Amino acid sequence: MAGEHKDKAGRPVVAITGMGVITSLGTGKEDNWKKLVAGQSGIRRINRFPVDGLRTTIAGTVNEGWEPNIAPSVHTERIAKLVGEEAITESGIGSKGNFPGPMFLAMAPIELEWPHRFDLASATGSNDNVTYADLVRVASEPRFAPYYEMAKYGIVGENLADHFGTQGSPISLTTACASGATAIQLGVEAIRRGECQAALAIGADTSVTPESVVRFSLLSALSTQNETPEQASKPFSKNRDGFVLAEGAAALVLENYDHAKARGAKILGIIPGSGEKSDNFHRTRSSPNGKPIIGCMLNAFKDAGISAEDVDYINAHGTSTPENDKMENTGLLAVFGERAPKIPISSNKSMIGHTLTAAGAVEAVVTTMTIQHQRIPPTINHNMPDPGITLDVVPNTARDAKIKTAISNSFGFGGQNACLVIAGEPN
Amino acid sequence: MNTRREVWITGAGLLSCLGEGVEATWQKLATDNPPAGHNETEFAPYVTHPLAPVNFDQQIPKKGDQRQMEPWQRIGVYAAGLALANAGVTGNAEVLDTMDMIIAAGGGERDINVDSGIMSGISGATNRGAFLNERLLNDLRPTLFLAQLPNLLAGNIGIVHGIVGSSRTFMGEEAAGVDALRVTFERVAAGQSNISLVASSFHGTRWDLLLVTELGRNLLKAPFQPVWDRGEHGGLAMADMGAGLVIESKEHAEKRGAKPLARLVAVESDRNRRKPGEIETTLAAEWAAIAPKVKKDQAAVISGASGLEPPTREEKNALGKIGLPVRATGSHIGHGFDTQFLANIAIACETLKQGKLFPASGSGDTGDAPASLSQIAVTSVGNWRGEGLALIEKV
């Protein structure tokens, strides 16, 4: 190939040539960007199911594609299709229904949901003492056949593979709240190996259901500041009290840079590298010394062939939980030293909430747009700074900045840590 | 692109109805004729393959850790521990610090009592939504969530065994197991990882998981039959199973003085929409991709057939055209979804070492081992979607 571009390690350079996003703020890149730089919040009261008795009654719901009693997996599939179409259309790669590469899909686990269990239970005839054995007894009735595929772990990936015409076995994955970043990483690695010229990375999560709200509540992870929903997510603030559960999806077309240039595609950004490091201190808490978070960022720098001095902006994990934001601060101070308070860092979650398995992908899209526009979306609701956090969190108002290279952090339950390095098109 | 590195399997761990450990399991397989690892009474009328008794303390010494896990996680952490021990890296902080991990897992074990209470009470509730919220808030154990999340198998393996390089968890039944091995194989071959654990577990002997399978009318009802001979619609016998494999570059293994169980030569995975004949077509294409590397007079097939039809029939047709001796493990250890393929790779490693095949069971188990058995192809035809094929060989 003429004019071959390789990175410092002799690997193909991976470009981003298409992006799509949907969040509680809106549908599509442009709509989201306008609202992000305006500092708007997408957090609102939950009105899709009764919230009686719940400690948290707010969320960043995505109503696009939602309808009463819809299975979350169906909702996930619908919004994944929207963002995938936006990304592929922008990229201009392949042809309709024929994407020339594999798909990596970050999503939440799939289960039967309560409406389905109740339907099965009412068919058992044993109203006062319904067991799972009773449900199995009636499960083979033809009217329940649609529930079979609905509960398959691979259903969303299989349907999306059919829809987009991606190649090979679609990979559905989870690394909890780092999943979106992991999907991108898997795509980058496949292109670097020369397995494919392009890959579709998607993260999609539609977890605002009664049981999800309860489960995160029981772990004391959610904000309970329900009175003014749009002010509940306040990363790095002293009065932060938990994250706000949110829905969303994002897709990125990743492509071998030379392949993209050869077909005249617009380069939106490149992904010079990524890093991971697992934490085995505790199932939900980070190592108090921050070593895994630090190691994860350093691994990303090494993979990207950059040093800490090259980082111009940090897209924070910034969940607004007391623990996460403190540990992210600790990790950043260790990695960037004296320079840490001078590097702008902001949390998109202050506006869109925490989109869980989609967050890494959503924030990779926003980070890329931040570089494209040379403008940083703020961390909103920052009215009571935490004196223990000395970072420049770009409080409340968007800011212009010169950004060549940025990082996007994602940390998750189960000791998952991932860091993506994202940069503008090389000169 | 860079030159590919040779990839070895240097450790294998297995847990099933036939007991624990790869070698011990193989000895049971060698005498499991007719197959006797199933149970027809515990979940009657359905046939299951419950786990043989295990002392979890041996791989998960802290009771506190065991309490934080649901059974599927304990099974997986245990099998992972066996694989690490087999590879000789248990407690080796230097290796574990950079070791990667790809897990195939579905998770999703419910608290059956809580769910039953809610299903029983809902019909008498005046406000159904409020009733559901109240019961979930009061009855769910806070830690249950973590014991259900698929990626918390990796999390628990990290905590118990100290693997802290990276972890990724693939979801999607059999295809997740195949892709976990394929991506690991490609990463190690390309130098993106030096040593990785691939592991999976499945705890199928539970009414909540039986339910998900029976919604497709797919459970095997007594009497037991080998996977190949379960009639027109077939049937799947839910199993308890854990498997772990340590995958390593030859270079990395030699540097630490580790011996290979086998060389991993190829891993193929693909999918189709399962129109009649498509499984056969996909398997044939995957076979064509590995065929140049196969020594036909020294090879056999270990099949992951689930017993469900028509997939099992189509696999049998495809294997018939290939013409190698075949053995299916499902007749002996049942079907373990995400875990079956990795368990079968572990069994294949031991089969190479033994140099012979375990006894045939049913109409699809054909042929005898060649005089010199040096290669095994392992198949995976998903109960619903996904076709996979791997080739391993003696080093």
Side-chain angles (χ1 to χ4, degrees):
Chain A
M1 193 182 290
E4 263 187 283
H5 289 77
K6 301 278 182 190
D7 66 13
K8 289 176 192 164
R11 305 168 300 196
V13 173
V14 179
I16 302 164
T17 57
M19 302 194 295
V21 67
I22 182 166
T23 69
S24 52
L25 283 175
T27 301
K29 267 170 48 174
E30 294 316 318
D31 192 24
N32 270 281
W33 180 252
K34 243 190 306 180
K35 290 170 179 165
L36 283 165
V37 290
Q40 287 184 25
S41 169
I43 310 306
R44 51 183 83 93
R45 282 180 214 294
I46 297 171
N47 56 16
R48 63 168 64 154
F49 54 79
V51 294
D52 310 52
L54 298 180
R55 288 179 227 156
T56 293
T57 58
I58 55 173
T61 45
V62 168
N63 293 327
E64 181 95 43
W66 183 86
E67 59 189 70
N69 286 325
I70 192 173
S73 61
V74 178
H75 191 202
T76 294
E77 184 182 318
R78 288 182 182 173
I79 65 170
K81 274 182 185 163
L82 284 176
V83 295
E85 273 162 14
E86 184 180 13
I88 293 171
T89 303
E90 180 174 32
S91 168
I93 196 168
S95 52
K96 193 163 173 61
N98 183 15
F99 182 89
M103 178 175 64
F104 301 96
L105 172 67
M107 58 176 279
I110 287 179
E111 289 188 287
L112 278 182
E113 298 292 328
W114 283 108
H116 316 125
R117 286 190 202 103
F118 292 148
D119 278 356
L120 286 155
S122 69
T124 62
S126 40
N127 281 347
D128 298 333
N129 183 22
V130 185
T131 66
Y132 268 99
D134 294 323
L135 304 193
V136 174
R137 184 163 44 76
V138 300
S140 59
E141 289 181 18
R143 62 180 153 145
F144 298 126
Y147 295 176
Y148 175 60
E149 291 200 339
M150 196 189 287
K152 283 286 182 195
Y153 263 83
I155 183 72
V156 178
E158 285 284 326
N159 288 346
L160 292 178
D162 279 340
H163 183 76
F164 294 123
T166 53
Q167 309 299 303
S169 180
I171 290 182
S172 306
L173 66 110
T174 174
T175 52
C177 302
S179 305
T182 305
I184 293 167
Q185 231 178 347
L186 282 159
V188 168
E189 288 177 352
I191 292 168
R192 282 177 173 177
R193 289 194 298 263
E195 250 170 65
C196 53
Q197 298 296 334
L200 182 60
I202 303 183
D205 203 307
T206 53
S207 289
V208 180
T209 64
E211 189 168 320
S212 289
V213 172
V214 168
R215 285 177 174 204
F216 282 111
S217 271
L218 289 173
L219 292 174
S220 306
L222 298 182
S223 172
T224 56
Q225 296 180 3
N226 300 310
E227 308 75 34
T228 37
E230 62 281 2
Q231 290 173 18
S233 184
K234 40 187 157 320
F236 307 114
S237 290
K238 193 182 172 194
N239 57 340
R240 68 187 186 273
D241 72 327
F243 72 79
V244 177
L245 190 63
E247 299 178 322
L252 295 91
V253 173
L254 306 172
E255 190 171 353
N256 179 315
Y257 179 81
D258 293 330
H259 184 269
K261 287 304 255 187
R263 67 180 184 86
K266 184 177 176 200
I267 308 295
L268 308 179
I270 64 163
I271 304 184
S274 60
E276 295 154 289
K277 184 71 191 161
S278 304
D279 189 339
N280 69 344
F281 175 70
H282 187 267
R283 288 165 185 83
T284 56
R285 284 166 44 213
S286 305
S287 295
N289 61 14
K291 262 175 88 175
I293 290 176
I294 296 164
C296 156
M297 285 187 262
L298 295 180
N299 285 342
F301 297 166
K302 192 174 159 206
D303 186 54
I306 64 166
S307 67
E309 285 71 49
D310 296 316
V311 176
D312 305 312
Y313 165 68
I314 299 158
N315 187 289
H317 188 56
T319 56
S320 186
T321 64
E323 163 96 359
N324 174 81
D325 298 359
K326 181 177 136 221
M327 289 315 302
E328 194 163 8
N329 178 60
T330 303
L332 291 169
L333 293 181
V335 168
F336 294 99
E338 284 179 2
R339 213 181 134 241
K342 297 185 188 120
I343 310 170
I345 172 172
S346 66
S347 168
N348 307 149
K349 293 184 181 80
S350 63
M351 293 172 276
I352 61 183
H354 189 355
T355 57
L356 306 175
T357 59
V362 168
E363 289 159 24
V365 168
V366 177
T367 303
T368 308
M369 294 185 82
T370 300
I371 298 170
Q372 284 183 298
H373 288 88
Q374 297 285 293
R375 187 164 173 76
I376 302 172
T379 303
I380 67 163
N381 300 321
H382 197 73
N383 303 316
M384 201 185 287
D386 180 341
I389 293 174
T390 51
L391 305 168
D392 170 10
V393 301
V394 192
N396 304 320
T397 314
R399 183 195 301 168
D400 288 332
K402 206 162 172 262
I403 306 165
K404 214 171 117 193
T405 303
I407 62 170
S408 175
N409 283 333
S410 296
F411 312 131
F413 283 171
Q416 310 275 181
N417 297 305
C419 175
L420 298 174
V421 180
I422 301 174
E425 183 177 7
N427 299 322
Chain B
M1 198 56 210
N2 307 336
T3 44
R4 287 175 69 86
R5 305 196 298 180
E6 190 170 329
V7 180
W8 285 1
I9 303 170
T10 54
L14 186 58
L15 198 55
S16 74
C17 64
L18 295 184
E20 66 178 270
V22 178
E23 195 175 341
T25 302
W26 206 94
Q27 295 305 338
K28 288 270 180 59
L29 273 173
T31 55
D32 194 34
N33 186 21
H38 52 275
N39 179 310
E40 296 187 350
T41 54
E42 195 183 348
F43 293 89
Y46 308 109
V47 180
T48 59
H49 290 254
L51 197 66
V54 174
N55 177 6
F56 283 104
D57 296 349
Q58 289 186 355
Q59 286 295 337
I60 315 172
K62 288 187 194 160
K63 289 287 184 198
D65 281 335
Q66 291 188 28
R67 273 196 300 273
Q68 293 281 328
M69 301 181 214
E70 285 291 299
W72 74 277
Q73 291 173 334
R74 277 179 231 134
I75 293 169
V77 172
Y78 195 97
L82 293 177
L84 296 176
N86 192 224
V89 295
T90 306
N92 183 337
E94 197 190 330
V95 169
L96 298 172
D97 187 54
T98 58
M99 192 168 190
D100 299 307
M101 189 165 20
I102 302 187
I103 300 296
E109 290 191 4
R110 307 282 307 174
D111 186 326
I112 287 183
N113 294 328
V114 170
D115 287 5
S116 294
I118 293 172
M119 290 187 291
S120 303
I122 193 77
S123 57
T126 43
N127 180 339
R128 288 166 70 101
F131 173 82
L132 179 63
N133 293 349
E134 188 197 331
R135 294 300 297 266
L136 289 172
L137 261 173
N138 291 328
D139 299 350
L140 283 179
R141 282 177 289 125
T143 54
L144 178 73
F145 189 13
L146 300 172
Q148 293 180 314
L149 284 176
N151 77 301
L152 260 292
L153 173 52
N156 280 298
I157 291 173
I159 288 170
V160 174
H161 299 307
I163 300 177
V164 288
S166 73
S167 85
R168 302 167 183 180
T169 297
F170 291 180
M171 305 178 290
E173 300 186 337
E174 295 88 349
V178 177
D179 283 322
L181 185 66
R182 181 180 62 80
V183 171
T184 298
F185 171 62
E186 297 296 342
R187 292 186 82 226
V188 174
Q192 291 172 338
S193 173
N194 290 318
I195 182 166
S196 288
L197 176 77
V198 184
S200 177
S201 72
F202 188 75
H203 183 220
T205 58
R206 297 170 53 92
W207 282 113
D208 49 354
L209 292 190
L210 260 68
L211 171 63
V212 178
T213 298
E214 189 58 5
L215 285 168
R217 302 178 175 205
N218 289 339
L219 292 176
L220 174 68
K221 287 184 180 161
F224 171 86
Q225 293 290 339
V227 287
W228 306 109
D229 306 309
R230 292 181 176 172
E232 185 57 28
H233 186 71
L236 187 157
M238 304 282 281
D240 300 333
M241 205 181 286
L245 299 167
V246 175
I247 308 295
E248 192 169 2
S249 73
K250 176 188 174 187
E251 190 187 356
H252 189 272
E254 281 180 335
K255 211 185 280 174
R256 63 178 191 90
K259 295 273 176 283
L261 302 176
R263 180 184 295 116
L264 189 51
V265 180
V267 187
E268 301 287 328
S269 75
D270 208 345
R271 45 94 53 178
N272 58 64
R273 296 184 199 194
R274 293 280 171 103
K275 290 180 193 136
E278 284 190 329
I279 293 173
E280 226 184 306
T281 308
T282 300
L283 277 179
E286 290 177 347
W287 178 258
I290 70 162
K293 295 166 187 159
V294 178
K295 301 165 193 155
K296 281 203 86 170
D297 56 342
Q298 298 180 26
V301 172
I302 287 184
S303 161
S306 65
L308 213 58
E309 298 295 356
T312 300
R313 200 178 304 136
E314 286 202 29
E315 180 177 346
K316 193 173 160 188
N317 288 342
L319 294 178
K321 285 172 191 161
I322 291 165
L324 294 175
V326 175
R327 295 292 183 273
T329 57
S331 305
H332 305 274
I333 60 172
H335 194 65
F337 290 76
D338 321 53
T339 313
Q340 193 82 23
F341 182 70
L342 301 179
N344 286 349
I345 298 280
I347 289 170
C349 287
E350 186 62 24
T351 304
L352 281 180
K353 187 172 137 200
Q354 298 286 337
K356 55 190 177 187
L357 296 173
F358 49 87
S361 178
S363 62
D365 279 8
T366 55
D368 294 312
S372 169
L373 179 64
S374 72
Q375 289 187 325
I376 293 183
V378 178
T379 67
S380 171
V381 174
N383 76 90
W384 175 66
R385 290 283 173 89
E387 292 76 25
L389 181 66
L391 181 68
I392 69 165
E393 67 185 14
K394 261 188 179 167
V395 177

